[in-house]
Amino acid sequence: TTFNGTSDNWLMDNSGTGYYVVAGSGDLLVQRKDQQTPSPTQTNPVVLNPLTQAAIGYINHGTSPVNAGYEYVTVPNTNSMNMQALATSFQNPATKPYAVINKTDSAHIIRHAATGIYGLALFTSNSTVPGGTNISANDQPCLVMYRPDAANTHMKLSLSNPDLGLPGPRSSDICNYQPIRISFNGNWQLIAPNPEITFVSSGTSGSIYEFATYQGLPIEADFQIVNVTNVSDVTSPVGI
């Protein structure tokens, strides 16, 4: 079955998960066919699970796409009534549940309307993170979510590294810690020390912290804005 990509489309699988695909994302192709995957209990990739019937859906951008993009929402544990309500909300920018702030090869950034939470998928290092959020730069790919208060003087932040830090393919050895440096717009200070977060520097251009990521686990912390008129105002690291 093919759903035309010039209009919004939604569908549900047999596990109660809904998928809403926004117009302009490309044609949506859905089929049911035999599928065989590697067994999760095997370290040898040629050892496969038995053939099984699976519903497979994908966005078709054709061959050699140029500047092709996509936008979709996954809704767990839903039903057709809720999906229709979601479809209605997408017809008006004022009721759409989120706003897309940036959608480029280097960064996908959205803001959830009901909670004010920002979500950033930073696919590369960025000397300047687009979108005017509290995150101004990153030196490694990472996933960031943060929720500022109304005055943007306090924020709850969570960061994770999609790279688990495995020392080799299918390795059972201990994962490596991988530091990620994040630059913030403004001078932000940890409210409480966190052994996984190290203060690097702060000044008129903002503040920098290093996150010791491990096995893809999230690092969560509360930050508050501080007034720094001179780099020398900050004389000791915070949060070590």
Side-chain angles (χ1 to χ4, degrees), residues 99-182:
V100 176
I101 296 174
N102 191 78
K103 186 173 71 173
T104 60
D105 292 345
S106 63
H108 287 182
I109 305 173
I110 66 168
R111 180 184 181 276
H112 186 236
T115 63
I117 293 175
Y118 289 81
L120 300 87
L122 305 175
F123 304 114
T124 64
S125 60
N126 291 273
S127 58
T128 302
V129 173
T133 69
N134 286 350
I135 312 301
S136 61
N138 63 294
D139 71 343
Q140 297 291 334
C142 58
L143 303 173
V144 181
M145 295 179 69
Y146 76 89
R147 181 176 186 173
D149 63 5
N152 197 29
T153 57
H154 171 274
M155 67 175 169
K156 294 180 177 291
L157 181 140
S158 177
L159 178 145
S160 64
N161 187 345
D163 184 345
L164 300 183
L166 293 172
R170 295 181 175 270
S171 173
S172 58
D173 294 335
I174 297 175
C175 294
N176 297 316
Y177 279 90
Q178 300 186 104
I180 294 178
R181 288 196 174 188
I182 297 294

Side-chain angles (χ1 to χ4, degrees), residues 30-225:
V30 180
Q31 55 186 319
R32 190 167 183 84
K33 60 185 292 188
D34 285 340
Q35 179 170 277
Q36 194 172 29
T37 58
S39 172
T41 61
Q42 299 290 334
T43 58
N44 186 345
V46 301
V47 178
L48 302 176
N49 287 318
L51 279 171
T52 185
Q53 280 276 302
I56 301 171
Y58 64 95
I59 294 171
N60 184 13
H61 283 152
T63 58
S64 302
V66 177
N67 295 326
Y70 63 89
E71 182 183 337
Y72 69 91
V73 179
T74 303
V75 186
N77 193 28
T78 190
N79 54 49
S80 58
M81 183 179 299
N82 289 338
M83 290 302 296
Q84 186 55 59
L86 178 65
T88 300
S89 74
F90 266 80
Q91 305 313 306
N92 185 341
T95 57
K96 186 177 178 180
Y98 63 89
V100 176
I101 296 174
N102 191 78
K103 186 173 71 173
T104 60
D105 292 345
S106 63
H108 287 182
I109 305 173
I110 66 168
R111 180 184 181 276
H112 186 236
T115 63
I117 293 175
Y118 289 81
L120 300 87
L122 305 175
F123 304 114
T124 64
S125 60
N126 291 273
S127 58
T128 302
V129 173
T133 69
N134 286 350
I135 312 301
S136 61
N138 63 294
D139 71 343
Q140 297 291 334
C142 58
L143 303 173
V144 181
M145 295 179 69
Y146 76 89
R147 181 176 186 173
D149 63 5
N152 197 29
T153 57
H154 171 274
M155 67 175 169
K156 294 180 177 291
L157 181 140
S158 177
L159 178 145
S160 64
N161 187 345
D163 184 345
L164 300 183
L166 293 172
R170 295 181 175 270
S171 173
S172 58
D173 294 335
I174 297 175
C175 294
N176 297 316
Y177 279 90
Q178 300 186 104
I180 294 178
R181 288 196 174 188
I182 297 294
S183 300
F184 295 104
N185 282 313
N187 293 291
W188 292 88
Q189 184 181 63
L190 276 169
I191 291 178
N194 187 316
E196 297 172 314
I197 304 175
T198 302
F199 170 81
V200 177
S201 65
S202 186
T204 55
S205 61
S207 48
I208 301 175
Y209 286 84
E210 186 169 277
F211 293 73
T213 65
Y214 181 70
Q215 284 191 325
L217 297 172
I219 300 173
E220 300 178 344
D222 287 1
F223 289 83
Q224 63 185 0
I225 200 78

